[in-house]
Amino acid sequence: MTYTTRFAPSPTGYLHPGHAFSALTAFKAARSHDGAFILRIEDIDHTRCRPEYEQAIYDDLRWMGLDWPEPVLRQSEHMADYQVALERLKSMGLVYPCFKTRKELMLEALSAPQDTPVLPPGDAPLDREPAWRLALTEARDYLGSRWEGLGFEEQGRGPNGEHGWQVADPSINGDVVLARKDVGIAYHLAVVVDDARQGITHIHRGHDLFEATHTQVLLQALLGLPTPQYHHHALLLDDTGQRLAKRKGSKSLRDLRDEGINLADIKALMANYAKA
């Protein structure tokens, strides 16, 4: 099987050096194994994604010397496929409707340690469409003895040094939302469908997504999809020790280029993290 990696950014802002580090890590891994590097555009959140950011992704990655097979898969063009996966989980009794708004869920999460309560369908507000959440208890019952065997091979290092076989614990993320009324299918479901569709064998990504792996491994098992091997890496930090992030206003690759920093400078910035 061909060693196949991917870089899957969302076009909700310009790429920063943290993105560059992740993309280069995946690209170099694919090249070192005579494998394939795939670019995927995760643009399911139409409320935040912008065409100019998507074009900037292509421009920045080409500036970095990366290349990838065409055409690029854009998730917004495959919503029907994700809906099929959701309907399958519905038919299996593994998801349930939640009529709470995002604000209500956030307030309840802050005020109570117990599971977020949901309104049964019969008591649903007439003016609300439900979000669909993964039902962990039913998923565990469905898998039976296979639940205990859920896990993934960590070839890199997790945020606490995790390495080697990791027993999956989907409860750390709770009953995650798999579909929302505002953007449709949510991240966890779309990503496992696409990783299987594109034959991804090795996933290189940052520590911030390590815990998401526990839920994604469960979805892979429920949908009969293969589980790739994972290679999580450290995150680039700013001068204050905070991780770089678009929502925090971290300087983008474009900003740095405008300041006269070249690709060699950016690669030097990442060198200290190469073994993390």
Side-chain angles (χ1 to χ4, degrees):
M1 182 179 294
T2 301
Y3 189 110
T4 305
T5 70
R6 47 82 163 171
F7 178 57
S10 297
T12 57
Y14 294 114
L15 298 185
H16 55 62
H19 295 119
F21 178 49
S22 189
L24 280 170
T25 298
F27 184 78
K28 289 179 177 179
R31 287 296 173 91
S32 67
H33 290 85
D34 194 25
F37 170 81
I38 291 176
L39 175 63
R40 179 166 76 224
I41 300 297
E42 297 192 342
D43 60 343
I44 53 177
D45 188 349
H46 61 84
T47 65
R48 299 172 58 222
C49 295
R50 299 288 183 270
E52 59 268 29
Y53 295 143
E54 181 176 339
Q55 184 58 52
I57 288 171
Y58 303 136
D59 295 342
D60 287 342
L61 294 181
R62 292 190 179 103
W63 175 75
M64 290 164 52
L66 277 57
D67 56 70
W68 50 86
E70 299 281 358
V72 171
L73 187 149
R74 301 175 70 251
Q75 287 187 332
S76 60
E77 298 172 351
H78 296 272
M79 299 300 287
D81 298 329
Y82 313 133
Q83 189 65 38
V84 168
L86 178 63
E87 293 302 321
R88 180 177 174 187
L89 293 173
K90 287 182 182 179
S91 71
M92 297 160 68
L94 301 180
V95 295
Y96 62 89
C98 173
F99 291 90
K100 299 290 184 179
T101 65
R102 297 181 74 182
K103 182 177 181 179
E104 288 169 341
L105 291 173
M106 290 175 63
L107 290 175
E108 288 181 352
L110 291 173
S111 63
Q114 68 270 18
D115 291 339
T116 300
V118 297
L119 297 176
D123 296 331
L126 296 178
D127 61 343
R128 290 189 190 175
E129 292 292 329
W132 290 93
R133 302 176 73 95
L134 178 63
L136 283 185
T137 300
E138 285 74 10
R140 184 166 192 154
D141 292 342
Y142 176 84
L143 290 178
S145 61
R146 289 188 292 158
W147 178 274
E148 303 301 328
L150 290 176
F152 59 96
E153 187 67 26
E154 176 57 62
Q155 294 188 328
R157 296 286 176 184
N160 296 308
E162 297 91 341
H163 182 74
W165 180 254
Q166 304 297 308
V167 175
D169 181 12
S171 66
I172 64 176
N173 298 314
D175 290 2
V176 298
V177 172
L178 298 182
R180 301 202 320 257
K181 63 179 180 180
D182 52 349
V183 299
I185 301 300
Y187 164 74
H188 287 293
L189 186 55
V191 74
V192 298
V193 170
D194 285 335
D195 284 339
R197 179 211 310 271
Q198 296 186 294
I200 304 301
T201 63
H202 294 76
I203 294 177
H204 294 257
R205 61 188 186 184
H207 283 168
D208 55 325
L209 290 171
F210 180 81
E211 290 190 350
T213 312
H214 293 263
T215 293
Q216 290 163 16
V217 165
L218 171 58
L219 288 172
Q220 289 157 359
L222 295 175
L223 294 170
L225 304 176
T227 296
Q229 296 191 30
Y230 291 84
H231 191 298
H232 291 90
H233 57 71
L235 302 173
L236 293 189
L237 307 178
D238 61 21
D239 294 338
T240 67
Q242 299 297 310
R243 75 181 183 91
L244 302 179
K246 286 180 286 191
R247 67 178 181 274
K248 295 180 180 179
S250 300
K251 285 189 176 181
S252 69
L253 294 176
R254 293 185 160 223
D255 294 332
L256 295 174
R257 290 204 299 274
D258 290 343
E259 294 175 5
I261 294 178
N262 59 35
L263 183 57
D265 295 328
I266 291 177
K267 288 184 176 180
L269 174 68
M270 295 184 262
N272 292 333
Y273 296 83
K275 296 182 180 181

